[in-house]
Amino acid sequence: MWFIDKENSKEESVVINEVCKETFTFIYKGKPIKCPKVKIGNGIYKHSKNNAKIFYMGELFFFDGKWKRYDNKIYSAKYQDKLSKIFDKRFPFSELATLLLIERARKAKESKKYDIAISYFEIALLKSSISEVLNYISELTSLYRKCHRPNAVIELYKYICKKHKSFYFPNSFLTSLSAAYLDIGNKEKALQYAGEVYGRMGGKKDKELEKIYFRINTYRD
C-alpha cells in the first residue's frame, strides 16, 4: 500500500499487516497503525496502479495506462472504470496470504455470499502456485455458474491453457466446463469435455457427470 506521510509529504510504501471488517493495520517506522478502510482513495491513503493486476470473471488484466487483458485486448471505457473500482475495493486484501484468502472464500461460500467468495478466490489466483490453484479451481468455476456467469468458466479455462500448457485440469473442472458450454448453448463443446471426463473414468459416470449427460441428451436448441 502507498500513502502520503503528512509530516514530510512523501509517498511511502508499506505492507498491510491485517485486514478487519472496517479497518486495516500496517507497520510504519516500527509502530503499528490502524486505519479505517474508507480512507483508501480519498487522498490521504492511496495505492499505485503501476504494474497492477486483477483477475476478474476468468480473465487476467494488467494496468498499463489502461486495463489490458493478458492478450492485450482493451475493453470499453465503461469496463475500464468497472475494473478500476474492483481493483480499489480488493486492494486492501492483496497482501493476505494465499491460504487465508482461500479460507475466507470458503467461509463466504458456506454463507452463500457467492460474489464475495469469488472475489477472494480471484485475488488468490494472482498469488497461487499451480498446486494451490488445483485445490480450489473447481470451487471457483462452480461459483461462477451459481452466479450465472458461464463465460467466466470458459475464459478461465482458456487463460490457464495459454499460460500453463501442461496443466492437468481436474475432472470436476472439466465437468463444470462442459456445463458452462451447455449454459451458453454450445452442445458440441459440452459433449467434448463431458466425453473427456467419461474417458478418464474408464466409461463410468459419477453423479455430476450423470447430470451433465442428462442435460446434453435432453437439450433442445
Side-chain angles (χ1 to χ4, degrees):
M1 184 192 77
W2 288 260
F3 73 98
I4 302 297
D5 187 323
K6 291 181 181 179
E7 293 184 0
N8 56 27
S9 298
K10 290 183 179 180
E11 186 174 289
E12 302 287 351
S13 175
V14 294
V15 175
I16 294 174
N17 186 44
E18 183 181 15
V19 179
C20 302
K21 186 175 182 180
E22 302 294 340
T23 63
F24 63 94
T25 63
F26 60 90
I27 305 297
Y28 182 57
K29 294 182 177 180
K31 297 179 180 180
I33 299 174
K34 180 183 285 188
C35 297
K37 290 181 184 177
V38 294
K39 285 190 174 288
I40 295 177
N42 69 358
I44 299 174
Y45 299 97
K46 65 178 185 178
H47 58 71
S48 171
K49 282 197 293 193
N50 293 333
N51 301 314
K53 293 181 181 180
I54 183 173
F55 224 107
Y56 181 64
M57 290 301 114
E59 300 175 285
L60 176 68
F61 298 89
F62 64 94
F63 192 82
D64 183 21
K66 289 185 177 181
W67 289 106
K68 297 181 180 179
R69 203 169 75 157
Y70 61 91
D71 56 1
N72 288 317
K73 183 177 181 179
I74 299 175
Y75 289 158
S76 67
K78 185 176 180 180
Y79 205 78
Q80 293 281 324
D81 290 341
K82 183 175 184 177
L83 289 173
S84 290
K85 288 176 182 178
I86 292 168
F87 177 77
D88 290 344
K89 189 174 181 179
R90 293 182 181 182
F91 184 78
F93 304 94
S94 61
E95 295 295 335
L96 294 179
T98 304
L99 291 178
L100 181 55
L101 289 166
I102 295 170
E103 179 185 330
R104 291 190 176 193
R106 286 173 174 160
K107 285 182 179 179
K109 183 179 73 170
E110 288 172 6
S111 301
K112 297 187 178 181
K113 297 176 180 177
Y114 300 137
D115 284 326
I116 294 174
I118 286 171
S119 293
Y120 278 126
F121 275 137
E122 288 183 335
I123 297 169
L125 275 172
L126 294 172
K127 304 157 68 72
S128 298
S129 64
I130 291 298
S131 59
E132 288 172 330
V133 170
L134 279 168
N135 287 331
Y136 63 83
I137 189 172
S138 297
E139 292 176 80
L140 175 57
T141 54
S142 175
L143 287 167
Y144 283 150
R145 293 194 59 247
K146 280 182 183 293
C147 294
H148 309 290
R149 294 163 182 165
N151 283 314
V153 180
I154 296 166
E155 289 300 332
L156 180 59
Y157 173 73
K158 290 178 180 178
Y159 167 75
I160 293 177
C161 285
K162 185 177 179 66
K163 186 176 181 182
H164 306 289
K165 298 186 185 301
S166 60
F167 188 86
Y168 187 82
F169 290 95
N171 289 351
S172 54
F173 178 93
L174 293 177
T175 303
S176 186
L177 179 64
S178 174
Y181 270 113
L182 198 59
D183 289 343
I184 64 170
N186 192 329
K187 184 177 178 179
E188 183 179 350
K189 281 287 188 180
L191 189 58
Q192 174 187 332
Y193 292 110
E196 185 173 341
V197 178
Y198 184 69
R200 285 185 183 184
M201 298 177 69
K204 297 180 180 179
K205 300 174 186 175
D206 61 12
K207 187 177 180 180
E208 293 304 313
L209 193 57
E210 284 278 8
K211 287 180 181 178
I212 189 61
Y213 267 109
F214 177 79
R215 284 189 62 201
I216 290 171
N217 291 331
T218 57
Y219 181 79
R220 295 291 182 270
D221 293 331

